[in-house]
Amino acid sequence: VVAGDIFDRAAPPESAVRLFNRFIESVIANTSCAVILIAGNHDSGDRIGAMAMLADRRRTLVRGPLSSTEEPLILHDAHGPVAFSALPFGYEYAARECFADINIRCPADVMRAQIAAARPQIPPGARWIIVAHVFVTGASVGETERPLTRIAGGIETVPAELFSGATYVALGHIHRPQTAGAPHIRYSGAPLAFGFDEEGNQKSMATVDIDAPGNATVELIPFQPLRSVRTIRGTLEELLKLPPSEDFIKAILTDDGRLMDPMKRIRERFPFACGLTYA
């Protein structure tokens, strides 16, 4: 089970979508893996939902818009059925329409309605996996995650207790890998850094083994992205003596006065420099 923000702001939209499409095509063509894909708050739910029309329903579950039925993908292993509920992100106004409930006023209400719709669809005795895009209470948020509510002053967090009965909960939205409320409720984190507050963080993906009683064992597989995020500090002349790098760079200049177009010179050595300030 892997959950995370896959293409957010990592690259221009066309190249990001092409990269993602090649990945999905490779998984479907070259493995027997199932694919569960949901829309997050950066996505168009309708656009993601359109991908479901040509998907093999026996091994894929693609969910864009909210649904009042929340039918799962059911797989089988040696221990019996495993049901996957894919709960896409939706704002409060969309959930009021979908679930015909004018009392939905916050993300917790949205998730509560989604789980209430999904729970009756789970076969008796099946292990239950939930894939969702939410901000669980107590999780450590960074600088780049967008708010999940459009109501001014609204509470955007969702209590972990809403996932009661789930064997494992695979979450997206927060970019740092972490558990949230319980060991079996986990953010795998985004595979790329989206802000300099993530400097030095180890990126990883999670593989999850679930036994017959439903105990989840998580293994983190660390990896190094093509480009890291780094902050460099010094005078312009000092920075230009540093080894060249294709990392994403934020430069903090310590020169006494303002310089004429220093970013142009910095990018000659650090072509992916994307931030510059003065100390």
Side-chain angles (χ1 to χ4, degrees):
V1 178
V2 181
D5 294 78
I6 294 178
F7 40 113
D8 259 1
R9 296 181 293 279
E14 285 191 356
S15 62
V17 172
R18 289 174 185 171
L19 176 64
F20 177 73
N21 289 347
R22 287 200 300 272
F23 168 71
I24 293 296
E25 183 180 22
S26 176
V27 169
I28 296 297
N30 301 318
T31 78
S32 58
C33 293
V35 174
I36 294 92
L37 173 66
I38 65 172
N41 63 313
H42 293 269
D43 304 312
S44 161
D46 289 330
R47 181 182 180 188
I48 298 296
M51 300 171 64
M53 290 186 290
L54 300 178
D56 182 347
R57 301 295 177 88
R58 295 167 297 179
R59 58 183 293 208
T60 59
L61 179 58
V62 180
R63 298 282 285 101
L66 299 175
S67 169
S68 60
T69 56
E70 301 293 2
E71 296 182 6
L73 172 68
I74 299 177
L75 304 177
H76 292 81
D77 64 9
H79 308 300
V82 183
F84 292 82
S85 293
L87 309 181
F89 173 78
Y91 284 108
E92 298 90 338
Y93 69 88
R96 290 178 203 137
E97 179 180 357
C98 174
F99 297 105
D101 185 352
I102 62 173
N103 295 313
I104 293 176
R105 301 187 179 278
C106 64
D109 292 340
V110 177
M111 183 53 54
R112 188 176 292 107
Q114 289 179 286
I115 291 176
R119 196 182 299 272
Q121 310 281 352
I122 307 305
R127 289 155 290 168
W128 186 20
I129 314 298
I130 294 177
V131 181
H133 191 98
V134 292
F135 180 8
V136 173
T137 305
S140 177
V141 69
E143 296 177 352
T144 55
E145 290 88 352
R146 296 179 186 173
L148 294 182
T149 180
R150 288 180 173 172
I151 298 176
I155 298 175
E156 62 176 317
T157 55
V158 170
E161 292 76 17
L162 286 185
F163 301 109
S164 174
T167 303
Y168 187 83
V169 182
L171 298 174
H173 179 57
I174 294 181
H175 298 161
R176 296 180 182 181
Q178 59 191 284
T179 58
H184 69 288
I185 303 175
R186 170 174 289 277
Y187 291 93
S188 67
L192 301 176
F194 295 115
F196 286 93
D197 63 312
E198 298 183 61
E199 184 172 351
N201 288 353
Q202 175 65 63
K203 292 298 183 179
S204 63
M205 64 180 293
T207 62
V208 184
D209 289 315
I210 297 173
D211 62 15
N215 301 307
T217 302
V218 179
E219 177 187 2
L220 297 182
I221 302 176
F223 58 83
Q224 182 64 37
L226 178 64
R227 298 185 181 90
S228 299
V229 292
R230 291 196 296 118
T231 302
I232 56 177
R233 181 185 178 100
T235 65
L236 179 61
E237 293 307 316
E238 289 171 341
L239 298 188
L240 294 178
K241 294 177 182 178
L242 295 175
S245 171
E246 292 194 348
D247 286 343
F248 294 115
I249 296 294
K250 179 171 73 173
I252 301 177
L253 295 179
T254 60
D255 296 88
D256 291 334
R258 298 276 172 169
L259 305 178
M260 183 67 70
D261 198 10
M263 183 60 99
K264 181 178 180 180
R265 296 188 62 191
I266 288 172
R267 282 185 172 154
E268 291 173 356
R269 200 163 193 82
F270 305 103
F272 293 95
C274 50
L276 185 147
T277 61
Y278 287 84

